[in-house]
Amino acid sequence: MFNFTDATLPKDVVVYPRVSSDDQAERETIKNQVEFAEKYCELHKMNIIDWYKDDGVSGTIPLDQRPEGKRLLEDAKAGKFKTVLIYNMKRLGRKARVTLDAIYQLEEYGVKIKSMTEPFDTGDPMGRFIITVLAGQAEFDRDTLLDTLWHGANRAARLGKWLGGIVPYGYYKDEESYLQIDESPLPGKEEMSQADVIRLMYDLVGRQGWSTVKVADYFNILKIPPSYVKNGLKVKRGQRKVNTAGIWRPGRISYMIKNTTYKGYHEYGKRATRERELIKREVPAIVSPELWEAAQQSLRSNQLESTRNATRDYLLRGLIKCGSCGITYTGTAFSDSKGKKKAYYACGGKFVYKGPYEKCENKNVPGVWLEELVWNECMNFILDPGEAINALANGIDEKKKATDKLLNEKELVLSSLRSKESEKQSILTLYRQKIISALDVERQLQEILKESNSLELRIKEIDRAITDESSIADQFDSIEQLLVAFRDKLTSNPPFEIKREIVKALVHRIEVVQQTDPDTDKAYANVQVQYCFSKGINHTDTDLKRQQVRNAPDT
């Protein structure tokens, strides 16, 4: 142990305490480090000028990505202090690379790190040597602990115990951690238990063929409390915990229907982040295997039914926006009074589930009618552009801005990728200074390689997106050449691919705004089409067109 004299100890310091889990944060475990630091500084006559408390933040996260760790680095760069006190090396990081990177960043700003319980500071060669040992020891301790817990969890799982995570709806965990069926009354819905809710869910889907949307609406109307509401749990939004919306969602219903736990069978280990054996075990069943299988078949049938009408090509897909909620219109089909399927464009807000009373009410638009209008106006412009040809050049520039944004993001990713080389050099510098070992170098270079591979994958995704966004206009040196090419492609009945190519190049935006007819007090869709060659055309000016839109069915 080193004995620091009053002469060698700094007078003004800051303290960096940290605990990793939310559970530790709720139990205020960080107070132990705070109280220790206060007594330590009082004993050694140090003045604490600031605290940087990362409460409930993992030590595997880099320092500059922690809320208070980031502030610590910013203040160090600003020269606000020269010494940081930590309780021990594990508080700085739980991985050797994270710890050493944090030390390297702070030392770049002339800041020393002192441990209040370990014999080192970063102000001398011996201290830097001890840092390397302690950082490796912290990672070794963490890995050993995880490995021990891993094998212990496997043993408990084989015995049938429920380990970690939220207990499935319809069950509770007894004192010995085994799942039991929950038949107790629900709060505010005493006539039902959790298990009754599960039985009703499977009956509606498996025996009566209900869709997940219909079940979610029904449960919300009945005001059946979902899991998070029943248990009074909150979800994390950034650094805060907030209440959930408190409603059943179709996706949640689908997930629960597919859960094999309800038929008495569970696989432990499917969500593991590292390779491990799957442990199959029996649990109490709430529904019979036959009803469970019937529910799966019903889900598949509903899915096939919903996609059966999606074989039609929609010329304006992705180009129509809702004037009410801003969500993109999608192509779909509805049956008329004679049972004949007809194509429509409908707001996606009608299908993004927000509860039984929160669907977008914007009108649907007949697909064939709108596509013919847009296509005819594109053809008229191509055949006789007139003075609008000058506006087209500006419109094409607007379309290219989306590609420019992708190119900017690509440059940002490339810059990050190039910085990985600098990180490698920093690691090698630490090795040459004998601050880290060859094993540390190997581990850290492997992590940098993984991060580089992820960045390269994102670059490929951006390149694909740029290809998708690129317009046919990019292939020509002038707008005149573009129009000539378009005319050459036109036939009496051009294929869909050609029409889609032309529409994407000439249509800037389509917006559907719901309005009310003052004479009839009925809602109708005002379809506003903005082309690259004109400011905008309204397709509901005539009574005939307006009537066509009014007759569109609602979902």
Side-chain angles (χ1 to χ4, degrees), residues 167-192:
V167 174
Y169 196 97
Y171 294 95
Y172 71 92
K173 189 168 61 173
D174 65 18
E175 294 179 355
E176 297 182 353
S177 295
Y178 292 100
L179 283 189
Q180 303 293 344
I181 298 175
D182 192 344
E183 301 286 2
S184 59
L186 280 168
K189 205 73 179 175
E190 284 72 17
E191 68 274 16
M192 297 184 73

Side-chain angles (χ1 to χ4, degrees), residues 344-392:
Y344 288 89
Y345 288 97
C347 176
K350 298 188 177 190
F351 312 109
V352 177
Y353 192 83
K354 299 180 180 178
Y357 311 111
E358 297 187 36
K359 297 177 183 178
C360 183
E361 298 296 333
N362 230 34
K363 298 288 289 186
N364 300 337
V365 180
V368 174
W369 170 77
L370 183 57
E371 288 174 358
E372 287 182 351
L373 284 173
V374 172
W375 175 245
N376 288 336
E377 285 172 355
C378 287
M379 283 194 59
N380 291 338
F381 169 75
I382 292 171
L383 297 175
D384 185 18
E387 295 182 358
I389 193 171
N390 296 323
L392 176 60

Side-chain angles (χ1 to χ4, degrees), residues 264-541:
Y265 166 77
H266 181 261
E267 283 188 343
Y268 176 76
K270 289 193 296 184
R271 295 184 178 181
T273 56
R274 75 185 213 188
E275 187 176 351
R276 68 178 301 166
E277 63 173 317
L278 293 180
I279 299 173
K280 302 176 181 179
R281 68 264 187 86
E282 292 184 1
V283 294
I286 296 181
V287 299
S288 67
E290 293 76 20
L291 179 57
W292 190 90
E293 291 296 340
Q296 310 313 302
Q297 181 59 43
S298 180
L299 285 182
R300 288 190 290 269
S301 298
N302 290 337
Q303 185 176 14
L304 288 173
E305 182 65 27
S306 65
T307 57
R308 188 170 295 161
N309 301 313
T311 56
R312 181 185 186 274
D313 290 322
Y314 286 86
L315 183 64
L316 306 177
R317 68 176 184 269
L319 298 175
I320 308 176
K321 293 288 184 180
C322 176
S324 296
C325 67
I327 294 178
T328 302
Y329 265 58
T330 59
T332 185
F334 300 108
S335 300
D336 60 15
S337 58
K338 298 181 181 179
K340 185 178 179 180
K341 294 285 186 180
K342 290 188 176 180
Y344 288 89
Y345 288 97
C347 176
K350 298 188 177 190
F351 312 109
V352 177
Y353 192 83
K354 299 180 180 178
Y357 311 111
E358 297 187 36
K359 297 177 183 178
C360 183
E361 298 296 333
N362 230 34
K363 298 288 289 186
N364 300 337
V365 180
V368 174
W369 170 77
L370 183 57
E371 288 174 358
E372 287 182 351
L373 284 173
V374 172
W375 175 245
N376 288 336
E377 285 172 355
C378 287
M379 283 194 59
N380 291 338
F381 169 75
I382 292 171
L383 297 175
D384 185 18
E387 295 182 358
I389 193 171
N390 296 323
L392 176 60
N394 297 327
I396 293 297
D397 289 339
E398 287 295 321
K399 291 182 71 68
K400 291 179 180 179
K401 288 182 179 179
T403 303
D404 291 339
K405 290 181 180 179
L406 289 170
L407 289 171
N408 290 337
E409 182 188 352
K410 181 178 179 180
E411 183 56 38
L412 181 65
V413 177
L414 285 171
S415 177
S416 298
L417 188 59
R418 288 191 292 268
S419 72
K420 295 302 171 186
E421 186 61 34
S422 176
E423 288 185 34
K424 291 180 184 179
Q425 295 304 318
S426 298
I427 298 299
L428 294 175
T429 299
L430 289 171
Y431 175 68
R432 286 194 297 268
Q433 294 175 352
K434 302 186 184 301
I435 294 178
I436 60 176
S437 66
L439 181 59
D440 291 328
V441 171
E442 182 181 356
R443 288 177 178 175
Q444 294 172 45
L445 290 181
Q446 286 177 350
E447 290 193 30
I448 291 175
L449 179 61
K450 290 180 182 178
E451 294 167 359
S452 299
N453 289 338
S454 297
L455 292 173
E456 289 173 352
L457 180 61
R458 177 55 186 156
I459 290 173
K460 291 180 181 179
E461 293 173 350
I462 293 174
D463 286 338
R464 285 195 294 268
I466 291 174
T467 301
D468 293 339
E469 285 288 342
S470 63
S471 168
I472 188 176
D474 298 337
Q475 304 172 22
F476 299 92
D477 297 328
S478 67
I479 299 302
E480 290 78 4
Q481 291 179 4
L482 171 66
L483 293 179
V484 170
F486 280 166
R487 294 185 192 114
D488 292 341
K489 292 174 181 288
L490 294 179
T491 62
S492 57
N493 187 25
F496 174 82
E497 291 75 15
I498 297 298
K499 296 175 71 173
R500 173 70 177 171
E501 190 177 50
I502 292 174
V503 165
K504 281 183 64 179
L506 298 183
V507 176
H508 177 64
R509 177 186 176 91
I510 302 175
E511 185 175 41
V512 179
V513 179
Q514 183 161 301
Q515 297 181 342
T516 303
D517 190 321
D519 298 328
T520 63
D521 200 32
K522 291 184 178 180
Y524 66 93
N526 186 340
V527 184
Q528 301 167 352
V529 185
Q530 182 179 353
Y531 297 94
C532 293
F533 51 82
S534 69
K535 292 184 178 180
I537 299 176
N538 191 316
H539 282 301
T540 58
D541 289 340

Side-chain angles (χ1 to χ4, degrees), residues 23-136:
D23 179 56
Q24 288 174 315
E26 290 174 1
R27 289 188 282 114
E28 299 183 330
T29 309
I30 203 169
K31 278 190 174 181
N32 297 334
Q33 297 177 46
V34 172
E35 291 174 359
F36 186 93
E38 289 173 343
K39 293 177 181 178
Y40 180 90
C41 291
E42 182 181 354
L43 176 64
H44 294 287
K45 297 180 173 57
M46 294 180 179
N47 177 36
I48 301 175
I49 61 175
D50 206 348
W51 296 86
Y52 299 83
K53 303 174 185 177
D54 270 324
D55 209 355
V57 180
S58 172
T60 62
I61 298 174
L63 185 64
D64 59 2
Q65 294 179 24
R66 307 174 197 171
E68 287 295 278
K70 181 179 180 181
R71 188 170 73 89
L72 178 73
L73 290 173
E74 290 173 349
D75 288 352
K77 184 177 181 180
K80 293 184 178 181
F81 53 84
K82 291 300 179 183
T83 304
V84 178
L85 295 183
I86 56 176
Y87 181 76
N88 59 27
M89 180 61 70
K90 296 175 183 178
R91 299 308 95 205
L92 198 58
R94 278 289 195 168
K95 286 188 175 182
R97 179 188 171 189
V98 170
T99 303
L100 296 172
D101 280 351
I103 294 171
Y104 180 79
Q105 289 174 297
L106 288 167
E107 284 194 328
E108 276 194 320
Y109 305 133
V111 175
K112 296 179 181 180
I113 300 96
K114 290 182 178 291
S115 171
M116 295 180 285
T117 61
E118 296 160 331
F120 81 86
D121 69 56
T122 59
D124 57 71
M126 181 60 71
R128 287 192 289 272
F129 171 74
I130 295 175
I131 286 171
T132 306
V133 175
L134 293 176

